[in-house]
Amino acid sequence: MAALTKVIYGSKLNNVVKLLTNLSIKTETISVAIPTCNLISFNKSSFIHTTSKHNDAKNLMEFFDDEKNWGKRKVQVGRAWKLDELRIKSNEDLHKLWYILLKERNMLLTMEELYKIKYEIFPNDERMDKIEISMENLETVVRERNKAYHLLETGKSGERPANVVRNAIGIPFVYRFRQYSIPKFVNTKWKKEHIHSNRGIAVAKFLRLYQEKFHNQRRKFRNYEENQVACILRNFPNPDMEAIKAKYPKVDIAKVLRKKNRSSQGHFIPSWWDSHNQ
């Protein structure tokens, strides 16, 4: 019985091989339908492409800084990319620059963790801030181009619609809409994570104290700028008013001058004080 099974299996295998050898595959593209994904086109001269494995130490060292910078207290670096510089770049250059910045950020994160393990000072920690500023500016430029393209083609910005709502403690934030497979009135998970309400006595008290905090900060900063202008006017009798206005645009210089004139009068005893004390 086992021998008969082997003969049948061998005959079936020979038939399959003959069928494949007799089948003529044309050079044109053949579309094969796969149930779990979309149509994938295959070509006679093309093969499945996979990225080559790099297990050598050279590619692994790209996660670390240059060896000449190891152990240094200060590393010479440049500044962040500006918006005007990125706006003149092509889309291909922006794409390449994004991955360069991404590799640089991964390297800095690796080196920062390494210095933290060794209890040493990470040199030029502002490099991470420059990378983040550059990536933010690059995203801004790409967003501007996408918005301009959609406005030209469709008349709309192409961005996700958003609305300013308040969270559970009454602080406003921008909520961007998105599509859900479950309706809103039965989506309990969404209701637990997104509580858009600001009702209650406790929330009202918190908002009042929260606004008072920012009001005090603005008031202190305004007083600080007024004091700076008063010091300039006191130390320099003929200053450049246009330069002062350009540096302190929110300061009322006329108000500062009135305070200065009142303080320069000094202390004096009014005439009615002597007659009152006699």
Side-chain angles (χ1 to χ4, degrees):
M1 187 67 182
L4 181 61
T5 305
K6 291 181 179 179
V7 171
I8 295 174
Y9 178 76
S11 62
K12 289 184 178 180
L13 184 60
N14 292 331
N15 294 332
V16 172
V17 173
K18 290 180 181 179
L19 180 62
L20 291 177
T21 53
N22 295 329
L23 181 62
S24 59
I25 301 177
K26 299 181 180 180
T27 57
E28 59 184 6
T29 304
I30 302 173
S31 299
V32 181
I34 298 179
T36 57
C37 61
N38 298 329
L39 295 177
I40 303 177
S41 24
F42 294 90
N43 194 286
K44 179 181 177 181
S45 60
S46 62
F47 299 93
I48 298 176
H49 176 72
T50 57
T51 56
S52 58
K53 295 182 180 179
H54 297 282
N55 298 324
D56 53 349
K58 181 179 179 181
N59 294 282
L60 185 61
M61 290 303 294
E62 292 184 359
F63 285 94
F64 298 90
D65 198 1
D66 195 357
E67 294 184 3
K68 63 181 182 181
N69 296 329
W70 292 2
K72 289 187 176 181
R73 292 287 183 178
K74 188 175 181 180
V75 180
Q76 186 176 2
V77 294
R79 55 171 176 80
W81 284 86
K82 297 181 180 180
L83 287 172
D84 296 336
E85 296 172 346
L86 296 172
R87 287 192 178 104
I88 62 177
K89 298 289 184 180
S90 63
N91 293 335
E92 185 178 358
D93 292 341
L94 293 179
H95 193 107
K96 295 177 181 178
L97 181 59
W98 173 263
Y99 281 99
I100 292 174
L101 294 173
L102 187 61
K103 287 180 63 177
E104 187 74 12
R105 188 183 68 173
N106 292 338
M107 182 273 294
L108 291 176
L109 291 174
T110 305
M111 296 300 297
E112 186 178 8
E113 187 66 23
L114 183 61
Y115 276 88
K116 189 183 298 184
I117 293 173
K118 292 185 177 181
Y119 296 98
E120 296 180 1
I121 299 176
F122 182 58
N124 294 75
D125 53 353
E126 74 277 1
R127 287 184 288 176
M128 182 61 69
D129 298 333
K130 295 178 181 179
I131 293 293
E132 292 179 355
I133 293 172
S134 300
M135 297 180 78
E136 289 178 0
N137 292 339
L138 197 151
E139 286 183 342
T140 302
V141 173
V142 173
R143 189 175 180 180
E144 290 175 355
R145 295 184 181 182
N146 290 338
K147 187 177 180 180
Y149 172 79
H150 283 88
L151 287 174
L152 182 63
E153 294 292 333
T154 63
K156 298 180 181 179
S157 62
E159 298 181 351
R160 288 172 57 187
N163 191 14
V164 179
V165 296
R166 294 182 178 270
N167 56 11
I169 57 177
I171 298 178
F173 71 99
V174 178
Y175 174 74
R176 298 193 176 276
F177 300 105
R178 55 171 296 186
Q179 294 182 352
Y180 293 89
S181 58
I182 305 175
K184 182 179 179 180
F185 61 91
V186 294
N187 196 346
T188 56
K189 182 180 179 181
W190 184 90
K191 291 181 180 179
K192 291 180 181 179
E193 294 179 355
H194 303 81
I195 302 175
H196 299 166
S197 175
N198 59 334
R199 299 178 182 178
I201 300 175
V203 174
K205 181 180 179 181
F206 168 77
L207 289 176
R208 179 176 57 80
L209 297 175
Y210 188 73
Q211 294 173 1
E212 182 180 355
K213 173 185 175 181
F214 285 100
H215 174 73
N216 292 333
Q217 291 179 355
R218 291 192 296 268
R219 178 178 54 81
K220 290 179 181 179
F221 184 73
R222 184 175 63 251
N223 293 338
Y224 169 77
E225 288 190 339
E226 289 181 356
N227 293 333
Q228 292 291 323
V229 174
C231 291
I232 293 174
L233 296 177
R234 183 172 59 251
N235 296 329
F236 302 96
N238 298 318
D240 188 0
M241 292 299 179
E242 297 296 333
I244 296 176
K245 290 180 181 179
K247 187 174 182 180
Y248 304 98
K250 297 182 179 180
V251 177
D252 188 359
I253 300 179
K255 180 180 177 181
V256 176
L257 288 173
R258 288 196 299 269
K259 288 184 179 180
K260 177 186 176 184
N261 294 332
R262 285 199 302 268
S263 62
S264 63
Q265 292 176 0
H267 300 283
F268 65 97
I269 299 176
S271 58
W272 56 269
W273 180 261
D274 296 333
S275 60
H276 179 73
N277 292 332
Q278 288 177 359

